[in-house]
Amino acid sequence: MNLLCPLLLCADVNTTCRVDAALIQKRLPVLLKYLNSDTERQLQALYALQALIVTLDQPPNLLRMFFDCLCDEDVISEDAFYKWETSKDPAEKLGKGVALKSVTAFFTWLREAEEN
């Protein structure tokens, strides 16, 4: 996932990073092959995204865009998202606070969708 994450981004004229949803859909078979039904691998993929966001200096909404797309395409399970949210792994703490704040609305949506 570390190698794949940067390939799923595109930059517009203003060099704003955004997730290329069409490219994620194109790479879906590869993502599913390595992540499907393995919550631990999915959790590691989320850590890789967190690290990428730190490397890119926390672009606004980028992590949320990744989470939305990976959830919509059923690449990452709800369980893996919740494990990432509650993880206290000291090896993965860099950027975690900012990352959590940037996806607060995502987790609110996920919980509300679960209730309905």
Side-chain angles (χ1 to χ4, degrees):
M1 191 72 170
N2 286 340
L3 294 174
L4 194 56
C5 289
L7 302 176
L8 301 175
L9 296 173
C10 59
D12 64 19
V13 179
N14 300 319
T15 66
T16 302
C17 291
R18 64 181 173 78
V19 174
D20 188 339
L23 191 54
I24 287 179
Q25 288 178 341
K26 185 177 178 181
R27 302 281 191 252
L28 204 54
V30 173
L31 290 169
L32 290 174
K33 178 179 180 181
Y34 290 102
L35 300 176
N36 199 20
S37 301
D38 188 331
T39 305
E40 196 55 39
R41 283 186 181 179
Q42 293 172 6
L43 180 60
Q44 292 304 313
L46 294 174
Y47 288 143
L49 288 173
Q50 176 184 326
L52 174 66
I53 298 303
V54 168
T55 301
L56 296 173
D57 292 327
Q58 311 280 354
N61 298 318
L62 186 59
L63 189 59
R64 169 69 193 263
M65 286 185 269
F66 265 120
F67 277 27
D68 285 342
C69 192
L70 294 172
C71 185
D72 290 347
E73 297 297 334
D74 294 320
V75 174
I76 305 287
S77 67
E78 290 178 13
D79 286 343
F81 281 117
Y82 289 134
K83 278 188 173 189
W84 176 85
E85 180 187 30
T86 59
S87 170
K88 305 289 185 208
D89 186 342
E92 305 296 346
K93 68 180 182 179
L94 183 63
K96 181 71 180 270
V98 175
L100 278 170
K101 286 180 185 173
S102 73
V103 292
T104 299
F106 170 82
F107 282 104
T108 300
W109 169 82
L110 199 60
R111 285 184 181 87
E112 287 174 356
E114 202 174 78
E115 292 171 2
N116 294 331

